[in-house]
Amino acid sequence: MSAIPYIIASACSIVGRGNRAGGLRRRAGHLATGLVLLVAATGAGYAGTQHGIAMHGAPALDVGFGHFRSVDPAAPKGGRLTLGVLGGFDTLEPMNVKGVKAEGVRGLVYESLMARAPDEPFTLYGLIAGSVEMPDDRSSITFHLRPEARFSDRRAVTADDVLFTWALLRDKGQPYLRGYYRKVVEAKKLSDHAVRFTFEPGSDREIPLILGLMPILPRHLNSADTFEQTSLVPRVGSGPYVIDRLEAGRLIAYRRDADYWGRDLAVRRGMFNFDEVRFEYFRDQAALFEAFKSGAVDARVEADPVRWVTGYDFPAVREGRVVKREIPLEVPAGMSGLVMNTRRPPFDDPEVRRALIEAFDFEWINRTLYNGRYARTESYFARSSLASAGRPADDQERQLLAPFVGAVRRGVMDGTARLPVSDGSGNDRRLLRRAFERLKARGWRVEGRRLVSRDGRPLAFEMLARTREQERLMLAFAGTLGRIGIAATIRQVDDSQYWRRLKSFDFDMVQWTWPASLSPGNEQVHRFSSRYADVEGALNLAGVRSQAADAMIEAMLAAKDRAAFVAAVRAFDRVLLSGDYVVPLFHAESTWLAHWRRIEGPARSPLLGLTFDSWWANDTK
C-alpha cells in the first residue's frame, strides 16, 4: 500500500494547526497541494483520494482548511456546561435496541470515521479517517485511517476496530443501523490503517457517507455476546470526552480528555471547549425550568411558547445575567404530528384518519395553548424548499409518480390541497360537520352520544402521552372529537413504559416529531418504508406500507444532482401527505434559546442548527 494518502492527510493536518508558524503552514500547504497534483498526474491509483465528500456537488472547504465556518477557533477551554434532560436513562450504549439511552455518549465519547460539516447540507471531512477514495459511481469507499488516532485508553484505532464495529452494528445494532450496513457486500482490510467497503450493485449514493458517519467502537473492549444488553459500564471511545461520573437515571458527567488525539484537527478546532459536560435529568418540565432559573442548568431550548413569552420574567433575565435569543432556523421543520397507528383499527381506515385531520382545530389550540406563536406544519419538510405544499408537481415529480396511479391525491399533486382553517372559536361547526359527514359515508352512525360502526363498535382510541405538555394538547383535541361522538382517552406513562410501548408499536396514537435536514436520505427508509413497518424498534410508527413511498425513497437516494434530488423529495412528501398518516401539528420559525451569560457561543449560527459543541465558558460573566 502506497504511503501517499497518509502523507496527504498528515500535510493537511499540519496546515490546519493555527498555533504553528505561518511559514510552516505555507510549506505544508504547498506540500499537500503538490502531492494531490502528483497523484492525479501519475494515476497512481489514488486519483479519487479526497479530504471530504459531499452528497451532491463538491465540499465547500478546500484541502488545508483551518476550521469550520461557524466556530470560533480561538474559543477558550475550561469551565463546565450543565444541561437539563427530561426523563431518565438505564443504559450507556446508544447503538443497540434495548434501554433508554443516556445523553451524550454518541457525540462526546464515540466518534465517527468522518466529521459532518455544520455549515453544509451533507458534507463530511476527515476525522479518524484522514482521507478517502471513492469512484464516481460510489460503488465502494476506502477509508485511510490516521495512524495517530487513539481511543481514550491510548490504544490505536485500527482497521480491525472498523471492521469489528461494522459487523457488530450490522448484526446487532439498532434496526436502522442494520439496514444501512447490510448494503455492504464486502468489507476488506487493506492494511492496519486502510479499509474498503464495497456495496451491493445499485446501492444508493448516500451509503458511502453513511459509512463515513459510522461510530467506531474499540474491539478489545466490546463483545458481540453482550452488546445487546443494557449496561451502565462506562463506554470507551476515541472522542474528546470520557465518562467521569454517573448516577443511574439522574446524572451523567463527561470530562474533557486532555490528551484527546484529535484536538488539533481542523474539524475539531474551536469545538468541545468545556472541561466538563453534565446532563442532569428531571421528571417534569416544571422542575427542569426551576433548575434553570436557579442557575443549576446553564441553557435550555424552550419548547413551550407560552412559557417563552410569559415565564422568563425573573431577576436574572431582568438583570441581564440570563440571555433570551430567537435564532432563525435554516433547516426544514420536519413533521410534528399525532401519529395514527395504521396497524390497528380504527386507523386502518384512511377515511377515519382523514376525518380526524379535518377535525383538528389548530387555530384555537394555537391561540389558547401556545399564545399564537406556532405555524401550521403542512409538509414533512416544512419551512424549506423541499416542501411540496403549495407547489404544483413539476414534470420530474410527475414522471416519478406516474407508475403509482392514485398514490397522490389530485389537490396534493397540483399544490392546492391545504389543511382546514377554523374560525378559532374552539367550536367550528363547519369543520366538525365535514369530519362527521366523511365518517357517516363510511357507515359510522350516532347511537346515543357515540359514533359506532355498522356492527355497533364505538369509534374509540387511546392517546399515549409522555409529558404533561403532550397530555394538555391531547385533552384539547379529545374534547373537540367528543363533540361528534369520538371517544379519545389519554394515558400518560413513565419514560420506560413509553419507550417500550413505542418500540413494540403498542399504541393507537402518539405525538411524535420526525426532524428533517436539507439532505434527507436513508433515515427515511427507517421511518417510512414498507421494509420497516413491522420491525421492532423502527421509527415507522405509523406502519406505512406504500410502494410509491418506497420508490420515492429509492429515487431520492439515487439522485445524482440537486434538481433530481429535490424532485424526488417533493414527490415523496406528496405520497406521505396523501396517506394521511398523522394529524399534522405545528412548528416554530426559530429556536427559542435561553442561557446564562457564563457560557457563550460563536456569532455565526450553524446551518444545521444549534449545537453546544462549539460553545465555551466565560466565567468572568
Side-chain angles (χ1 to χ4, degrees):
M1 177 61 62
S2 168
I4 289 178
Y6 307 124
I7 298 172
I8 293 174
S10 299
C12 294
S13 177
I14 293 171
V15 171
R17 296 178 184 175
N19 59 341
R20 301 295 177 89
L24 177 58
R25 289 200 301 271
R26 287 191 296 272
R27 289 193 296 273
H30 295 157
L31 173 62
T33 302
L35 283 170
V36 171
L37 293 174
L38 172 64
V39 169
T42 59
Y46 294 100
T49 300
Q50 305 165 65
H51 71 296
I53 49 177
M55 183 61 195
H56 298 107
L61 302 176
D62 295 330
V63 172
F65 71 94
H67 56 85
F68 289 134
R69 294 168 178 172
S70 60
V71 307
D72 184 344
K77 305 291 185 184
R80 183 173 74 189
L81 173 68
T82 301
L83 299 174
V85 184
L86 195 65
F89 67 92
D90 60 13
T91 185
L92 298 182
E93 179 49 67
M95 255 78 72
N96 64 16
V97 174
K98 293 185 178 179
V100 180
K101 317 301 183 184
E103 291 286 335
V105 178
R106 174 62 183 90
L108 300 179
V109 174
Y110 290 157
E111 64 183 0
S112 50
L113 289 164
M114 306 186 78
R116 186 166 185 174
D119 311 307
E120 302 175 55
F122 194 7
T123 300
L124 307 182
Y125 295 94
L127 181 54
I128 292 175
S131 62
V132 298
E133 293 176 72
M134 185 175 66
D136 290 340
D137 64 2
R138 299 193 175 187
S139 58
S140 69
I141 188 168
T142 301
F143 296 99
H144 297 285
L145 311 186
R146 299 183 193 267
E148 68 269 27
R150 293 287 187 276
F151 295 109
S152 60
D153 64 0
R154 308 307 167 228
R155 292 277 292 267
V157 182
T158 69
D160 291 328
D161 297 302
V162 175
L163 293 175
F164 169 80
T165 300
W166 164 73
L168 182 67
L169 299 182
R170 177 200 60 189
D171 298 337
K172 298 178 181 293
Q174 293 196 35
Y176 72 96
L177 296 175
R178 300 180 195 185
Y180 293 163
Y181 302 147
R182 284 174 182 167
K183 293 184 178 182
V184 175
V185 295
E186 182 184 45
K188 185 175 183 180
K189 175 181 175 180
L190 305 180
S191 74
D192 286 343
H193 294 93
V195 178
R196 176 175 296 140
F197 293 100
T198 303
F199 309 117
E200 58 189 22
S203 284
D204 63 79
R205 294 178 61 80
E206 188 186 46
I207 196 62
L209 283 80
I210 296 296
L211 265 292
L213 289 176
M214 182 171 66
I216 305 305
L217 283 61
R219 181 186 182 188
H220 62 284
L221 294 176
N222 287 275
S223 168
D225 295 333
T226 59
F227 179 74
E228 293 179 286
Q229 302 172 7
T230 59
S231 173
L232 291 174
V233 175
R235 307 288 92 180
V236 171
S238 63
Y241 287 85
V242 296
I243 297 174
D244 189 45
R245 185 162 66 93
L246 66 90
E247 298 174 26
R250 200 194 75 79
L251 166 74
I252 183 165
Y254 299 87
R255 172 175 47 83
R256 187 164 59 87
D257 185 354
D259 296 321
Y260 169 50
W261 73 272
R263 62 186 179 275
D264 292 327
L265 297 178
V267 294
R268 290 299 190 235
R269 183 163 296 112
M271 303 180 68
F272 304 110
N273 303 308
F274 296 99
D275 282 346
E276 183 183 26
V277 176
R278 293 163 55 103
F279 295 93
E280 296 197 13
Y281 286 75
F282 299 86
R283 292 300 175 186
D284 58 62
Q285 285 285 3
L288 198 163
F289 185 57
E290 289 303 315
F292 172 71
K293 289 168 62 177
S294 72
V297 171
D298 291 315
R300 62 177 276 115
V301 174
E302 184 56 71
D304 184 342
V306 174
R307 184 184 291 124
W308 182 249
V309 173
T310 65
Y312 284 79
D313 185 20
F314 54 91
V317 175
R318 293 194 295 269
E319 296 163 6
R321 291 181 290 130
V322 167
V323 179
K324 287 180 66 180
R325 301 170 59 188
E326 296 197 12
I327 304 172
L329 291 165
E330 300 183 67
V331 294
M335 173 56 76
S336 176
L338 296 171
V339 182
M340 294 173 277
N341 189 350
T342 65
R343 302 172 186 84
R344 54 172 69 177
F347 300 132
D348 54 349
D349 184 343
E351 288 299 299
V352 172
R353 302 198 299 269
R354 186 66 192 166
L356 264 63
I357 293 171
E358 291 177 340
F360 186 80
D361 193 338
F362 164 73
E363 286 70 28
W364 173 68
I365 286 176
N366 190 35
R367 177 174 58 82
T368 57
L369 297 187
Y370 305 116
N371 222 37
R373 293 295 300 265
Y374 280 132
R376 190 72 192 272
T377 300
E378 297 201 72
S379 163
Y380 283 76
F381 306 96
R383 204 179 57 207
S384 81
S385 61
L386 299 175
S388 67
R391 292 185 174 96
D394 62 20
D395 290 342
Q396 281 186 286
E397 292 177 66
R398 292 179 183 275
Q399 185 175 355
L400 287 169
L401 293 166
F404 307 99
V405 178
V408 176
R409 293 197 304 270
R410 179 180 298 177
V412 177
M413 184 74 84
D414 64 25
T416 60
R418 305 308 295 262
L419 292 172
V421 177
S422 78
D423 61 13
S425 67
N427 189 26
D428 190 327
R429 295 179 180 275
R430 177 178 50 86
L431 251 64
L432 294 176
R433 187 181 302 112
R434 185 187 302 172
F436 176 77
E437 291 298 329
R438 184 177 294 276
L439 293 169
K440 183 179 176 181
R442 296 292 286 178
W444 296 90
R445 70 181 191 279
V446 178
E447 187 177 280
R449 294 187 175 182
R450 302 185 307 170
L451 270 182
V452 298
S453 62
R454 291 187 178 93
D455 58 4
R457 176 172 49 90
L459 182 47
F461 59 90
E462 179 187 84
M463 302 184 190
L464 183 66
R466 180 187 175 210
T467 67
R468 292 177 183 174
E469 289 76 16
Q470 290 181 353
E471 183 183 35
R472 181 176 59 169
L473 168 66
M474 292 174 179
L475 284 169
F477 187 34
T480 300
L481 296 177
R483 294 189 179 95
I484 55 173
I486 299 175
T489 58
I490 295 92
R491 175 174 295 183
Q492 184 178 346
V493 297
D494 62 30
D495 242 32
S496 59
Q497 186 178 357
Y498 176 83
W499 292 114
R500 184 166 59 250
R501 290 186 61 176
L502 242 64
K503 289 176 181 178
S504 60
F505 308 123
D506 180 20
F507 64 89
D508 295 331
M509 177 180 281
V510 66
Q511 184 176 345
W512 190 258
T513 298
W514 289 286
S517 74
L518 291 168
S519 184
N522 270 282
E523 76 281 357
Q524 307 303 322
V525 177
H526 185 238
R527 297 172 179 180
F528 301 115
S529 76
S530 305
R531 189 191 324 166
Y532 283 91
D534 294 312
V535 176
E536 183 172 333
L539 290 180
N540 188 346
L541 300 179
V544 178
R545 292 179 179 85
S546 165
Q547 291 183 350
D550 296 342
M552 295 311 105
I553 295 173
E554 290 181 10
M556 191 188 312
L557 296 174
K560 294 183 179 181
D561 57 61
R562 188 71 183 176
F565 174 74
V566 171
V569 175
R570 289 180 182 170
F572 176 60
D573 190 30
R574 295 183 201 277
V575 171
L576 293 182
L577 292 172
S578 298
D580 297 320
Y581 300 109
V582 306
V583 178
L585 293 179
F586 33 73
H587 61 271
E589 298 291 356
S590 58
T591 297
W592 301 323
L593 171 68
H595 65 90
W596 288 79
R597 288 181 62 85
R598 60 177 173 263
I599 64 169
E600 295 182 348
R604 175 174 176 168
S605 298
L607 174 68
L608 300 185
L610 174 69
T611 172
F612 290 105
D613 292 345
S614 57
W615 284 51
W616 62 88
N618 188 339
D619 292 332
T620 63
K621 295 187 177 181

